[in-house]
Amino acid sequence: MPETKKSTLALVAERAGVSIASVSRVLNGQPASVQLAERVRAAADALGYVPDASARTLKTGRTDQIAFAVADVGNPVYVKMMHEVERVVAKAGYRLVLSSTGADPQEQIGLLGSLNRGFADGLVLSPLRLSAELVDALRASRLPIVIIGTLPEDVELDNVRVDSMAGIMLAVDHLVQQGRKRIGFVNGPVDTNPGTARLSGYLTSMAEFGLAATADLQVAASDFTYKAGRKAAARLLGQSSPDAIVCSNDLLAVATLKELTERGLRVPDDVALVGMDNTDVAELANPSITSVDLGAARRGKAAAKLMLRRLADPAAGVKRVVIEPTLSVRESSVRAGVGAGQHISPGYEEVRA
Amino acid sequence: MPETKKSTLALVAERAGVSIASVSRVLNGQPASVQLAERVRAAADALGYVPDASARTLKTGRTDQIAFAVADVGNPVYVKMMHEVERVVAKAGYRLVLSSTGADPQEQIGLLGSLNRGFADGLVLSPLRLSAELVDALRASRLPIVIIGTLPEDVELDNVRVDSMAGIMLAVDHLVQQGRKRIGFVNGPVDTNPGTARLSGYLTSMAEFGLAATADLQVAASDFTYKAGRKAAARLLGQSSPDAIVCSNDLLAVATLKELTERGLRVPDDVALVGMDNTDVAELANPSITSVDLGAARRGKAAAKLMLRRLADPAAGVKRVVIEPTLSVRESSVRAGVGAGQHISPGYEEVRA
DNA sequence: CTGTTAGCGCATTCAA
DNA sequence: TTGAATGCGCTAACAG
């Protein structure tokens, strides 16, 4: 069993009877004679030597840490992203530092400040709201940043976005094919990025199919949670009688499902239901919920790869990746066991990430 | 707008026309004359100075980071814990570093090694399996460790555990009160810590109530996931006809619910169902699932506080916190709207955390 | 191939 | 109260 006390390069060098430079070289795999390497390794083992991260960082400027900041750790979709980011960066030798900011842009600006202290080599950020001030702070930041989400065109930052317009279109198209006409929409807050994007997707899709998107068919929950979803769904069902409902995420969909069930409405017989994000809860729900897959895992993976690329070449040109959504058809949108389990994509070539 | 270039103490000192020592003092709130402080602060602002984390760490030995390692980032119960740990340590000025090891003890041992590189001041660990080797590594570690989970008595580490035996007892007791007799059990892998604990809780509880815990009433899923739960539940229902089922966690419970529904069995009319962990999915399920609350949030909070305490006083005696479970009664275990929504606890004083 | 040495940026001791 | 100087542990440039 190796020593438990903290040891340093100098101690190892002393024990091996060589210079600390030699120890450093051997341990970093640089050329050295076999015998010297032998002795160094023996000494290092005996002392249980582990290099000190902060000293190395101070010298090299690298921390081997990547920060991941997300608005809501409670939302499964972010967990999915995080999981994937972690997987990719870990394989490249980086640790993931989780920085849960709230939804507030101000907090994220604070994060940027502390990032400049140098505790991470880069930041992957998935902001819910994108204030002008945050954009400025992002621009001014000294270290690599990858944004997951849509960005103004003139912001020169690596980012991966998803075509949520196309996502909603998939959902509406599918519902129309099932013979639905009065398609309701349970959105999240419209002052968020996803909120506005999905609303415009809904309006566009409805127009495309010549369906009326009347005001009574639309509600917005106060946030993207189950609880807010229950209230919003209740409001919707109080003011109209849709034969199908699209929800802005799966949590809202589960909430809507519950609300429907409690009112004695059957899913999908009376009302068809489609969620978004294709998280586990869509699969777990009863009936299982058809959901637009916005590629959370793919987005996480793409973002992580963009980060690794930028770290490898800080001068490289800005790169934007667009993820195409697909539709996972489940029980909630298809009558009596016909066609459930399908997987529908827009047919474009998926952007390689 | 402050300079975007990286600045150092020396630069600030130069600009303010003082020594770097003075700058350091002012910025760390140590006594200095008003005018000097004034000038230092002005210069620091103008340069957008932020202290470098690694240099400070190298000097002080503190990183202001706490690592949190968990077997399965996909399990909501760990997300809940993590969330709470993050909240508590953040308030004390620490960042949370997420280290997702797999379920494999070997990976966790690797983590301990790299921890000694000094990238974190402490580790909060919630192991699924606890090999002798891991215990040894834990013991040998140089930095503070808090374990979430049950530990052999002779291991001198701060830890917070939950009385899962009592938890199962709550579930069985509740089911018996509902008039159920043939109580089945869907467990996770028995070679895990929770798996063995919950199995013995089941057996003890059944014996306590004079019920037969025959072999055909018990199955073990290959892991604690939905998918494995489906298979296990199918097996259980193939080999016996329970009038109630206790599941080792909520994911397994949702899976069992689905399996029951697909076989045309009604919950709770035909079969009552109880899960464990009291995660969101229990609430979201349809019908909502009664669940034993093993206090994930409370455990996270307690663990974080133990860590802060140990950091503040490394020489303090080992402390163990025991969390008492409670039962959240929902639709899945109570016939026709009587008594759902109750919250049952064993009546012990809850350990203050 | 190996040793000597100079910082990386900061907190801190010691003088003044 | 303030400044000068030291060293945390390491890597890399340079010298031998």
Side-chain angles (χ1 to χ4, degrees), chain A residues 221-283:
Chain A
S222 60
D223 56 42
F224 285 101
T225 61
Y226 175 80
K227 216 163 186 168
R230 286 293 293 268
K231 284 186 197 151
R235 222 162 52 239
L236 177 69
L237 296 175
Q239 70 194 28
S240 66
S241 303
D243 60 8
I245 301 177
V246 176
C247 299
S248 241
N249 80 2
D250 288 337
L251 259 21
L252 297 178
V254 174
T256 302
L257 173 59
K258 190 87 162 195
E259 206 59 35
L260 287 166
T261 308
E262 294 209 342
R263 286 161 190 253
L265 293 165
R266 290 163 308 164
V267 176
D269 297 343
D270 300 324
V271 180
L273 189 64
V274 178
M276 299 191 88
D277 281 344
N278 198 26
T279 52
D280 289 342
V281 300
E283 175 69 35

Side-chain angles (χ1 to χ4, degrees), chain B residues 203-255:
Chain B
L203 296 174
T204 309
S205 301
M206 292 296 276
E208 193 102 350
F209 286 100
L211 298 175
T214 52
D216 62 313
L217 280 174
Q218 308 169 38
V219 290
S222 60
D223 56 42
F224 285 101
T225 61
Y226 175 78
K227 216 163 188 170
R230 285 295 291 268
K231 284 186 200 154
R235 221 161 52 239
L236 176 68
L237 297 175
Q239 69 193 31
S240 66
S241 303
D243 60 7
I245 301 177
V246 175
C247 299
S248 243
N249 81 2
D250 286 339
L251 259 21
L252 297 178
V254 174

Side-chain angles (χ1 to χ4, degrees), chain B residues 9 21 24 49 51-52 56 59:
Chain B
L9 266 194
S24 177
Y49 173 74
D52 179 86
R56 173 175 283 165
K59 188 65 189 170

